[in-house]
Amino acid sequence: MRAASHSRLGVYRKVMARKLVLALILLCMTPLFAKRIRPHPVAPIVSDNIKYSAEGDGTTAYVVAADAATGEIFWRAKIFHIHLKPWIEGDNQWVFISGLRLNGKNILVQDERSHCYSLDSMTRRVRKVPCR
């Protein structure tokens, strides 16, 4: 009787070891499926020899003003920042700038979630505005 319980215990351990290995493999493969594709590039705007372009890492987005000829950066203005929810995968929450437009001295910025912002290129003040 004692030998039978030891053999059952051995089978149980083997089954649990296999389940653990399978769980570890699946856990390691999860990031392969969760990665977000890169956002479409946003065309820069050039006005008065200043190139305005979009930058960002998915959590914070900026508009950068640089000399169109030399590439020297004059300033960088933060347009928005999102706070990631720790219980949701980070790359599923990222938001990037999807469009830039010039409207006089203001730069109109649109993000992937169709939120719009107006950046005053003189004062670098950012306001949330309705999309048009």
Side-chain angles (χ1 to χ4, degrees), residues 35-74:
K35 294 300 175 196
R36 178 196 154 118
I37 60 171
R38 294 197 53 72
H40 295 289
V42 177
I45 301 170
V46 178
S47 174
D48 297 330
N49 202 34
I50 299 175
K51 179 173 82 170
Y52 301 99
S53 57
E55 283 186 3
D57 62 2
T59 60
T60 306
Y62 301 93
V63 168
V64 179
D67 187 294
T70 65
E72 177 188 354
I73 295 176
F74 297 131

PDB file of all heavy atoms in Angstrom, residues 35-74:
ATOM      1  N   LYS A  35       2.689  43.352 -28.036  1.00  0.00           N
ATOM      2  CA  LYS A  35       3.391  44.534 -28.524  1.00  0.00           C
ATOM      3  C   LYS A  35       2.556  45.316 -29.528  1.00  0.00           C
ATOM      4  O   LYS A  35       1.925  44.766 -30.412  1.00  0.00           O
ATOM      5  CB  LYS A  35       4.732  44.151 -29.161  1.00  0.00           C
ATOM      6  CG  LYS A  35       5.713  43.590 -28.168  1.00  0.00           C
ATOM      7  CD  LYS A  35       6.023  44.593 -27.088  1.00  0.00           C
ATOM      8  CE  LYS A  35       6.908  44.000 -26.028  1.00  0.00           C
ATOM      9  NZ  LYS A  35       6.949  44.761 -24.826  1.00  0.00           N
ATOM     10  N   ARG A  36       2.589  46.600 -29.372  1.00  0.00           N
ATOM     11  CA  ARG A  36       1.855  47.500 -30.234  1.00  0.00           C
ATOM     12  C   ARG A  36       2.697  47.824 -31.468  1.00  0.00           C
ATOM     13  O   ARG A  36       3.913  47.940 -31.379  1.00  0.00           O
ATOM     14  CB  ARG A  36       1.601  48.782 -29.441  1.00  0.00           C
ATOM     15  CG  ARG A  36       0.887  49.834 -30.215  1.00  0.00           C
ATOM     16  CD  ARG A  36       1.029  51.169 -29.518  1.00  0.00           C
ATOM     17  NE  ARG A  36       0.911  52.185 -30.522  1.00  0.00           N
ATOM     18  CZ  ARG A  36      -0.052  53.086 -30.525  1.00  0.00           C
ATOM     19  NH1 ARG A  36      -0.907  53.133 -29.558  1.00  0.00           N
ATOM     20  NH2 ARG A  36      -0.115  53.964 -31.492  1.00  0.00           N
ATOM     21  N   ILE A  37       2.038  47.984 -32.591  1.00  0.00           N
ATOM     22  CA  ILE A  37       2.779  48.376 -33.793  1.00  0.00           C
ATOM     23  C   ILE A  37       3.160  49.850 -33.675  1.00  0.00           C
ATOM     24  O   ILE A  37       2.512  50.617 -32.971  1.00  0.00           O
ATOM     25  CB  ILE A  37       1.967  48.119 -35.072  1.00  0.00           C
ATOM     26  CG1 ILE A  37       0.656  48.901 -35.061  1.00  0.00           C
ATOM     27  CG2 ILE A  37       1.700  46.639 -35.258  1.00  0.00           C
ATOM     28  CD1 ILE A  37      -0.077  48.861 -36.363  1.00  0.00           C
ATOM     29  N   ARG A  38       4.203  50.240 -34.389  1.00  0.00           N
ATOM     30  CA  ARG A  38       4.660  51.624 -34.324  1.00  0.00           C
ATOM     31  C   ARG A  38       3.608  52.544 -34.941  1.00  0.00           C
ATOM     32  O   ARG A  38       2.952  52.183 -35.922  1.00  0.00           O
ATOM     33  CB  ARG A  38       5.983  51.763 -35.069  1.00  0.00           C
ATOM     34  CG  ARG A  38       7.092  50.988 -34.385  1.00  0.00           C
ATOM     35  CD  ARG A  38       8.475  51.376 -34.799  1.00  0.00           C
ATOM     36  NE  ARG A  38       8.847  52.764 -34.714  1.00  0.00           N
ATOM     37  CZ  ARG A  38       9.074  53.455 -33.588  1.00  0.00           C
ATOM     38  NH1 ARG A  38       8.902  52.893 -32.424  1.00  0.00           N
ATOM     39  NH2 ARG A  38       9.460  54.703 -33.632  1.00  0.00           N
ATOM     40  N   PRO A  39       3.466  53.743 -34.387  1.00  0.00           N
ATOM     41  CA  PRO A  39       2.486  54.681 -34.959  1.00  0.00           C
ATOM     42  C   PRO A  39       2.956  55.186 -36.317  1.00  0.00           C
ATOM     43  O   PRO A  39       4.146  55.157 -36.627  1.00  0.00           O
ATOM     44  CB  PRO A  39       2.449  55.811 -33.927  1.00  0.00           C
ATOM     45  CG  PRO A  39       3.767  55.756 -33.251  1.00  0.00           C
ATOM     46  CD  PRO A  39       4.161  54.297 -33.241  1.00  0.00           C
ATOM     47  N   HIS A  40       2.009  55.643 -37.105  1.00  0.00           N
ATOM     48  CA  HIS A  40       2.355  56.231 -38.405  1.00  0.00           C
ATOM     49  C   HIS A  40       3.177  57.491 -38.170  1.00  0.00           C
ATOM     50  O   HIS A  40       2.886  58.265 -37.255  1.00  0.00           O
ATOM     51  CB  HIS A  40       1.089  56.589 -39.191  1.00  0.00           C
ATOM     52  CG  HIS A  40       0.286  55.393 -39.570  1.00  0.00           C
ATOM     53  ND1 HIS A  40       0.701  54.494 -40.525  1.00  0.00           N
ATOM     54  CD2 HIS A  40      -0.897  54.932 -39.127  1.00  0.00           C
ATOM     55  CE1 HIS A  40      -0.195  53.544 -40.654  1.00  0.00           C
ATOM     56  NE2 HIS A  40      -1.182  53.782 -39.806  1.00  0.00           N
ATOM     57  N   PRO A  41       4.198  57.731 -38.997  1.00  0.00           N
ATOM     58  CA  PRO A  41       4.986  58.956 -38.829  1.00  0.00           C
ATOM     59  C   PRO A  41       4.129  60.195 -39.126  1.00  0.00           C
ATOM     60  O   PRO A  41       3.270  60.169 -40.003  1.00  0.00           O
ATOM     61  CB  PRO A  41       6.120  58.811 -39.835  1.00  0.00           C
ATOM     62  CG  PRO A  41       5.722  57.718 -40.751  1.00  0.00           C
ATOM     63  CD  PRO A  41       4.686  56.887 -40.066  1.00  0.00           C
ATOM     64  N   VAL A  42       4.382  61.239 -38.365  1.00  0.00           N
ATOM     65  CA  VAL A  42       3.652  62.498 -38.537  1.00  0.00           C
ATOM     66  C   VAL A  42       4.560  63.458 -39.294  1.00  0.00           C
ATOM     67  O   VAL A  42       5.695  63.700 -38.877  1.00  0.00           O
ATOM     68  CB  VAL A  42       3.251  63.090 -37.171  1.00  0.00           C
ATOM     69  CG1 VAL A  42       2.562  64.426 -37.345  1.00  0.00           C
ATOM     70  CG2 VAL A  42       2.372  62.114 -36.407  1.00  0.00           C
ATOM     71  N   ALA A  43       4.056  63.980 -40.389  1.00  0.00           N
ATOM     72  CA  ALA A  43       4.851  64.905 -41.212  1.00  0.00           C
ATOM     73  C   ALA A  43       5.092  66.198 -40.439  1.00  0.00           C
ATOM     74  O   ALA A  43       4.162  66.761 -39.860  1.00  0.00           O
ATOM     75  CB  ALA A  43       4.123  65.199 -42.506  1.00  0.00           C
ATOM     76  N   PRO A  44       6.344  66.666 -40.417  1.00  0.00           N
ATOM     77  CA  PRO A  44       6.620  67.939 -39.741  1.00  0.00           C
ATOM     78  C   PRO A  44       6.062  69.114 -40.530  1.00  0.00           C
ATOM     79  O   PRO A  44       5.779  69.009 -41.726  1.00  0.00           O
ATOM     80  CB  PRO A  44       8.145  67.987 -39.677  1.00  0.00           C
ATOM     81  CG  PRO A  44       8.613  67.081 -40.745  1.00  0.00           C
ATOM     82  CD  PRO A  44       7.549  66.054 -40.957  1.00  0.00           C
ATOM     83  N   ILE A  45       5.923  70.243 -39.851  1.00  0.00           N
ATOM     84  CA  ILE A  45       5.457  71.492 -40.461  1.00  0.00           C
ATOM     85  C   ILE A  45       6.636  72.450 -40.484  1.00  0.00           C
ATOM     86  O   ILE A  45       7.361  72.557 -39.494  1.00  0.00           O
ATOM     87  CB  ILE A  45       4.334  72.116 -39.621  1.00  0.00           C
ATOM     88  CG1 ILE A  45       3.154  71.169 -39.495  1.00  0.00           C
ATOM     89  CG2 ILE A  45       3.897  73.444 -40.199  1.00  0.00           C
ATOM     90  CD1 ILE A  45       2.145  71.640 -38.478  1.00  0.00           C
ATOM     91  N   VAL A  46       6.825  73.159 -41.587  1.00  0.00           N
ATOM     92  CA  VAL A  46       7.891  74.164 -41.666  1.00  0.00           C
ATOM     93  C   VAL A  46       7.242  75.526 -41.911  1.00  0.00           C
ATOM     94  O   VAL A  46       6.437  75.680 -42.831  1.00  0.00           O
ATOM     95  CB  VAL A  46       8.901  73.839 -42.784  1.00  0.00           C
ATOM     96  CG1 VAL A  46       9.963  74.921 -42.871  1.00  0.00           C
ATOM     97  CG2 VAL A  46       9.538  72.484 -42.547  1.00  0.00           C
ATOM     98  N   SER A  47       7.611  76.480 -41.057  1.00  0.00           N
ATOM     99  CA  SER A  47       7.112  77.850 -41.183  1.00  0.00           C
ATOM    100  C   SER A  47       8.199  78.801 -40.704  1.00  0.00           C
ATOM    101  O   SER A  47       8.739  78.615 -39.605  1.00  0.00           O
ATOM    102  CB  SER A  47       5.846  78.025 -40.349  1.00  0.00           C
ATOM    103  OG  SER A  47       5.421  79.367 -40.351  1.00  0.00           O
ATOM    104  N   ASP A  48       8.500  79.815 -41.494  1.00  0.00           N
ATOM    105  CA  ASP A  48       9.531  80.815 -41.147  1.00  0.00           C
ATOM    106  C   ASP A  48      10.850  80.147 -40.780  1.00  0.00           C
ATOM    107  O   ASP A  48      11.496  80.513 -39.794  1.00  0.00           O
ATOM    108  CB  ASP A  48       9.063  81.718 -39.997  1.00  0.00           C
ATOM    109  CG  ASP A  48       7.836  82.541 -40.371  1.00  0.00           C
ATOM    110  OD1 ASP A  48       7.685  82.866 -41.569  1.00  0.00           O
ATOM    111  OD2 ASP A  48       7.042  82.845 -39.467  1.00  0.00           O
ATOM    112  N   ASN A  49      11.247  79.123 -41.541  1.00  0.00           N
ATOM    113  CA  ASN A  49      12.500  78.389 -41.349  1.00  0.00           C
ATOM    114  C   ASN A  49      12.562  77.651 -40.002  1.00  0.00           C
ATOM    115  O   ASN A  49      13.638  77.333 -39.510  1.00  0.00           O
ATOM    116  CB  ASN A  49      13.715  79.307 -41.520  1.00  0.00           C
ATOM    117  CG  ASN A  49      14.958  78.509 -41.864  1.00  0.00           C
ATOM    118  OD1 ASN A  49      14.885  77.488 -42.547  1.00  0.00           O
ATOM    119  ND2 ASN A  49      16.103  78.951 -41.376  1.00  0.00           N
ATOM    120  N   ILE A  50      11.401  77.399 -39.403  1.00  0.00           N
ATOM    121  CA  ILE A  50      11.323  76.603 -38.169  1.00  0.00           C
ATOM    122  C   ILE A  50      10.523  75.348 -38.478  1.00  0.00           C
ATOM    123  O   ILE A  50       9.419  75.426 -39.025  1.00  0.00           O
ATOM    124  CB  ILE A  50      10.666  77.388 -37.019  1.00  0.00           C
ATOM    125  CG1 ILE A  50      11.483  78.634 -36.696  1.00  0.00           C
ATOM    126  CG2 ILE A  50      10.522  76.514 -35.783  1.00  0.00           C
ATOM    127  CD1 ILE A  50      10.851  79.538 -35.666  1.00  0.00           C
ATOM    128  N   LYS A  51      11.095  74.222 -38.141  1.00  0.00           N
ATOM    129  CA  LYS A  51      10.424  72.942 -38.361  1.00  0.00           C
ATOM    130  C   LYS A  51       9.804  72.485 -37.046  1.00  0.00           C
ATOM    131  O   LYS A  51      10.479  72.361 -36.032  1.00  0.00           O
ATOM    132  CB  LYS A  51      11.421  71.887 -38.852  1.00  0.00           C
ATOM    133  CG  LYS A  51      10.779  70.528 -39.085  1.00  0.00           C
ATOM    134  CD  LYS A  51      11.738  69.549 -39.721  1.00  0.00           C
ATOM    135  CE  LYS A  51      12.633  68.933 -38.672  1.00  0.00           C
ATOM    136  NZ  LYS A  51      13.422  67.808 -39.164  1.00  0.00           N
ATOM    137  N   TYR A  52       8.487  72.242 -37.071  1.00  0.00           N
ATOM    138  CA  TYR A  52       7.754  71.747 -35.918  1.00  0.00           C
ATOM    139  C   TYR A  52       7.477  70.265 -36.144  1.00  0.00           C
ATOM    140  O   TYR A  52       6.896  69.894 -37.162  1.00  0.00           O
ATOM    141  CB  TYR A  52       6.440  72.503 -35.738  1.00  0.00           C
ATOM    142  CG  TYR A  52       6.618  73.988 -35.542  1.00  0.00           C
ATOM    143  CD1 TYR A  52       6.460  74.870 -36.607  1.00  0.00           C
ATOM    144  CD2 TYR A  52       6.968  74.499 -34.303  1.00  0.00           C
ATOM    145  CE1 TYR A  52       6.626  76.232 -36.437  1.00  0.00           C
ATOM    146  CE2 TYR A  52       7.146  75.863 -34.117  1.00  0.00           C
ATOM    147  CZ  TYR A  52       6.972  76.718 -35.194  1.00  0.00           C
ATOM    148  OH  TYR A  52       7.151  78.069 -35.015  1.00  0.00           O
ATOM    149  N   SER A  53       7.895  69.435 -35.207  1.00  0.00           N
ATOM    150  CA  SER A  53       7.697  67.993 -35.364  1.00  0.00           C
ATOM    151  C   SER A  53       7.150  67.392 -34.073  1.00  0.00           C
ATOM    152  O   SER A  53       7.248  67.988 -32.997  1.00  0.00           O
ATOM    153  CB  SER A  53       9.013  67.312 -35.756  1.00  0.00           C
ATOM    154  OG  SER A  53      10.006  67.580 -34.786  1.00  0.00           O
ATOM    155  N   ALA A  54       6.584  66.197 -34.187  1.00  0.00           N
ATOM    156  CA  ALA A  54       5.989  65.491 -33.046  1.00  0.00           C
ATOM    157  C   ALA A  54       6.974  64.467 -32.508  1.00  0.00           C
ATOM    158  O   ALA A  54       7.656  63.779 -33.271  1.00  0.00           O
ATOM    159  CB  ALA A  54       4.697  64.798 -33.485  1.00  0.00           C
ATOM    160  N   GLU A  55       7.025  64.378 -31.183  1.00  0.00           N
ATOM    161  CA  GLU A  55       7.834  63.376 -30.494  1.00  0.00           C
ATOM    162  C   GLU A  55       7.008  62.812 -29.361  1.00  0.00           C
ATOM    163  O   GLU A  55       6.076  63.446 -28.881  1.00  0.00           O
ATOM    164  CB  GLU A  55       9.107  63.990 -29.897  1.00  0.00           C
ATOM    165  CG  GLU A  55      10.201  64.272 -30.858  1.00  0.00           C
ATOM    166  CD  GLU A  55      11.468  64.744 -30.151  1.00  0.00           C
ATOM    167  OE1 GLU A  55      11.493  64.802 -28.904  1.00  0.00           O
ATOM    168  OE2 GLU A  55      12.427  65.056 -30.859  1.00  0.00           O
ATOM    169  N   GLY A  56       7.403  61.642 -28.896  1.00  0.00           N
ATOM    170  CA  GLY A  56       6.730  61.086 -27.731  1.00  0.00           C
ATOM    171  C   GLY A  56       7.041  59.619 -27.547  1.00  0.00           C
ATOM    172  O   GLY A  56       7.493  58.942 -28.471  1.00  0.00           O
ATOM    173  N   ASP A  57       6.811  59.148 -26.328  1.00  0.00           N
ATOM    174  CA  ASP A  57       7.080  57.752 -25.994  1.00  0.00           C
ATOM    175  C   ASP A  57       5.805  56.955 -25.735  1.00  0.00           C
ATOM    176  O   ASP A  57       5.861  55.814 -25.313  1.00  0.00           O
ATOM    177  CB  ASP A  57       8.008  57.672 -24.775  1.00  0.00           C
ATOM    178  CG  ASP A  57       7.400  58.293 -23.525  1.00  0.00           C
ATOM    179  OD1 ASP A  57       6.244  58.768 -23.572  1.00  0.00           O
ATOM    180  OD2 ASP A  57       8.088  58.305 -22.489  1.00  0.00           O
ATOM    181  N   GLY A  58       4.654  57.562 -25.978  1.00  0.00           N
ATOM    182  CA  GLY A  58       3.391  56.876 -25.732  1.00  0.00           C
ATOM    183  C   GLY A  58       2.714  57.340 -24.458  1.00  0.00           C
ATOM    184  O   GLY A  58       1.504  57.248 -24.328  1.00  0.00           O
ATOM    185  N   THR A  59       3.490  57.841 -23.509  1.00  0.00           N
ATOM    186  CA  THR A  59       2.899  58.372 -22.281  1.00  0.00           C
ATOM    187  C   THR A  59       2.956  59.893 -22.236  1.00  0.00           C
ATOM    188  O   THR A  59       2.114  60.521 -21.626  1.00  0.00           O
ATOM    189  CB  THR A  59       3.596  57.807 -21.025  1.00  0.00           C
ATOM    190  OG1 THR A  59       4.971  58.155 -21.053  1.00  0.00           O
ATOM    191  CG2 THR A  59       3.430  56.301 -20.946  1.00  0.00           C
ATOM    192  N   THR A  60       3.953  60.470 -22.877  1.00  0.00           N
ATOM    193  CA  THR A  60       4.092  61.928 -22.938  1.00  0.00           C
ATOM    194  C   THR A  60       4.381  62.307 -24.389  1.00  0.00           C
ATOM    195  O   THR A  60       5.203  61.676 -25.039  1.00  0.00           O
ATOM    196  CB  THR A  60       5.240  62.419 -22.035  1.00  0.00           C
ATOM    197  OG1 THR A  60       5.037  61.915 -20.715  1.00  0.00           O
ATOM    198  CG2 THR A  60       5.279  63.932 -21.978  1.00  0.00           C
ATOM    199  N   ALA A  61       3.680  63.340 -24.870  1.00  0.00           N
ATOM    200  CA  ALA A  61       3.858  63.780 -26.253  1.00  0.00           C
ATOM    201  C   ALA A  61       4.337  65.223 -26.271  1.00  0.00           C
ATOM    202  O   ALA A  61       3.913  66.040 -25.447  1.00  0.00           O
ATOM    203  CB  ALA A  61       2.550  63.658 -27.021  1.00  0.00           C
ATOM    204  N   TYR A  62       5.226  65.527 -27.207  1.00  0.00           N
ATOM    205  CA  TYR A  62       5.827  66.846 -27.329  1.00  0.00           C
ATOM    206  C   TYR A  62       5.744  67.337 -28.769  1.00  0.00           C
ATOM    207  O   TYR A  62       5.713  66.537 -29.697  1.00  0.00           O
ATOM    208  CB  TYR A  62       7.320  66.805 -26.968  1.00  0.00           C
ATOM    209  CG  TYR A  62       7.623  66.327 -25.581  1.00  0.00           C
ATOM    210  CD1 TYR A  62       7.886  64.982 -25.330  1.00  0.00           C
ATOM    211  CD2 TYR A  62       7.674  67.219 -24.510  1.00  0.00           C
ATOM    212  CE1 TYR A  62       8.178  64.539 -24.055  1.00  0.00           C
ATOM    213  CE2 TYR A  62       7.973  66.775 -23.224  1.00  0.00           C
ATOM    214  CZ  TYR A  62       8.220  65.446 -23.008  1.00  0.00           C
ATOM    215  OH  TYR A  62       8.515  64.997 -21.746  1.00  0.00           O
ATOM    216  N   VAL A  63       5.775  68.657 -28.911  1.00  0.00           N
ATOM    217  CA  VAL A  63       6.045  69.288 -30.201  1.00  0.00           C
ATOM    218  C   VAL A  63       7.402  69.949 -30.046  1.00  0.00           C
ATOM    219  O   VAL A  63       7.664  70.646 -29.060  1.00  0.00           O
ATOM    220  CB  VAL A  63       4.970  70.318 -30.584  1.00  0.00           C
ATOM    221  CG1 VAL A  63       5.410  71.152 -31.772  1.00  0.00           C
ATOM    222  CG2 VAL A  63       3.664  69.603 -30.903  1.00  0.00           C
ATOM    223  N   VAL A  64       8.276  69.704 -31.012  1.00  0.00           N
ATOM    224  CA  VAL A  64       9.643  70.214 -30.969  1.00  0.00           C
ATOM    225  C   VAL A  64       9.815  71.233 -32.083  1.00  0.00           C
ATOM    226  O   VAL A  64       9.458  70.970 -33.240  1.00  0.00           O
ATOM    227  CB  VAL A  64      10.660  69.062 -31.131  1.00  0.00           C
ATOM    228  CG1 VAL A  64      12.076  69.586 -31.123  1.00  0.00           C
ATOM    229  CG2 VAL A  64      10.460  68.011 -30.053  1.00  0.00           C
ATOM    230  N   ALA A  65      10.371  72.394 -31.738  1.00  0.00           N
ATOM    231  CA  ALA A  65      10.675  73.431 -32.721  1.00  0.00           C
ATOM    232  C   ALA A  65      12.182  73.430 -32.957  1.00  0.00           C
ATOM    233  O   ALA A  65      12.964  73.505 -32.010  1.00  0.00           O
ATOM    234  CB  ALA A  65      10.226  74.788 -32.220  1.00  0.00           C
ATOM    235  N   ALA A  66      12.581  73.322 -34.218  1.00  0.00           N
ATOM    236  CA  ALA A  66      14.002  73.269 -34.548  1.00  0.00           C
ATOM    237  C   ALA A  66      14.265  74.096 -35.800  1.00  0.00           C
ATOM    238  O   ALA A  66      13.356  74.322 -36.614  1.00  0.00           O
ATOM    239  CB  ALA A  66      14.432  71.825 -34.782  1.00  0.00           C
ATOM    240  N   ASP A  67      15.494  74.508 -35.946  1.00  0.00           N
ATOM    241  CA  ASP A  67      15.909  75.224 -37.146  1.00  0.00           C
ATOM    242  C   ASP A  67      15.789  74.269 -38.331  1.00  0.00           C
ATOM    243  O   ASP A  67      16.323  73.159 -38.295  1.00  0.00           O
ATOM    244  CB  ASP A  67      17.347  75.713 -36.979  1.00  0.00           C
ATOM    245  CG  ASP A  67      17.789  76.604 -38.116  1.00  0.00           C
ATOM    246  OD1 ASP A  67      17.892  76.092 -39.254  1.00  0.00           O
ATOM    247  OD2 ASP A  67      18.033  77.789 -37.873  1.00  0.00           O
ATOM    248  N   ALA A  68      15.090  74.688 -39.369  1.00  0.00           N
ATOM    249  CA  ALA A  68      14.864  73.810 -40.523  1.00  0.00           C
ATOM    250  C   ALA A  68      16.152  73.484 -41.256  1.00  0.00           C
ATOM    251  O   ALA A  68      16.285  72.402 -41.836  1.00  0.00           O
ATOM    252  CB  ALA A  68      13.857  74.442 -41.479  1.00  0.00           C
ATOM    253  N   ALA A  69      17.117  74.379 -41.230  1.00  0.00           N
ATOM    254  CA  ALA A  69      18.366  74.158 -41.964  1.00  0.00           C
ATOM    255  C   ALA A  69      19.373  73.331 -41.167  1.00  0.00           C
ATOM    256  O   ALA A  69      19.968  72.397 -41.688  1.00  0.00           O
ATOM    257  CB  ALA A  69      18.980  75.498 -42.356  1.00  0.00           C
ATOM    258  N   THR A  70      19.548  73.668 -39.896  1.00  0.00           N
ATOM    259  CA  THR A  70      20.604  73.014 -39.103  1.00  0.00           C
ATOM    260  C   THR A  70      20.093  71.894 -38.201  1.00  0.00           C
ATOM    261  O   THR A  70      20.862  71.045 -37.772  1.00  0.00           O
ATOM    262  CB  THR A  70      21.334  74.036 -38.214  1.00  0.00           C
ATOM    263  OG1 THR A  70      20.410  74.548 -37.234  1.00  0.00           O
ATOM    264  CG2 THR A  70      21.910  75.166 -39.034  1.00  0.00           C
ATOM    265  N   GLY A  71      18.811  71.926 -37.864  1.00  0.00           N
ATOM    266  CA  GLY A  71      18.268  70.918 -36.959  1.00  0.00           C
ATOM    267  C   GLY A  71      18.446  71.270 -35.486  1.00  0.00           C
ATOM    268  O   GLY A  71      18.060  70.505 -34.608  1.00  0.00           O
ATOM    269  N   GLU A  72      19.029  72.433 -35.207  1.00  0.00           N
ATOM    270  CA  GLU A  72      19.224  72.872 -33.816  1.00  0.00           C
ATOM    271  C   GLU A  72      17.866  73.065 -33.149  1.00  0.00           C
ATOM    272  O   GLU A  72      16.994  73.763 -33.667  1.00  0.00           O
ATOM    273  CB  GLU A  72      20.012  74.182 -33.788  1.00  0.00           C
ATOM    274  CG  GLU A  72      20.184  74.745 -32.396  1.00  0.00           C
ATOM    275  CD  GLU A  72      20.786  76.134 -32.393  1.00  0.00           C
ATOM    276  OE1 GLU A  72      21.178  76.618 -33.468  1.00  0.00           O
ATOM    277  OE2 GLU A  72      20.836  76.723 -31.311  1.00  0.00           O
ATOM    278  N   ILE A  73      17.675  72.440 -31.984  1.00  0.00           N
ATOM    279  CA  ILE A  73      16.393  72.505 -31.283  1.00  0.00           C
ATOM    280  C   ILE A  73      16.300  73.815 -30.505  1.00  0.00           C
ATOM    281  O   ILE A  73      17.190  74.161 -29.722  1.00  0.00           O
ATOM    282  CB  ILE A  73      16.221  71.296 -30.340  1.00  0.00           C
ATOM    283  CG1 ILE A  73      16.137  70.010 -31.174  1.00  0.00           C
ATOM    284  CG2 ILE A  73      14.987  71.456 -29.469  1.00  0.00           C
ATOM    285  CD1 ILE A  73      16.067  68.745 -30.364  1.00  0.00           C
ATOM    286  N   PHE A  74      15.200  74.545 -30.757  1.00  0.00           N
ATOM    287  CA  PHE A  74      14.943  75.795 -30.045  1.00  0.00           C
ATOM    288  C   PHE A  74      14.198  75.537 -28.741  1.00  0.00           C
ATOM    289  O   PHE A  74      14.534  76.062 -27.701  1.00  0.00           O
ATOM    290  CB  PHE A  74      14.131  76.769 -30.902  1.00  0.00           C
ATOM    291  CG  PHE A  74      14.832  77.199 -32.159  1.00  0.00           C
ATOM    292  CD1 PHE A  74      14.178  77.158 -33.372  1.00  0.00           C
ATOM    293  CD2 PHE A  74      16.148  77.645 -32.136  1.00  0.00           C
ATOM    294  CE1 PHE A  74      14.801  77.571 -34.533  1.00  0.00           C
ATOM    295  CE2 PHE A  74      16.785  78.050 -33.289  1.00  0.00           C
ATOM    296  CZ  PHE A  74      16.108  78.012 -34.499  1.00  0.00           C
TER     297      PHE A  74
END
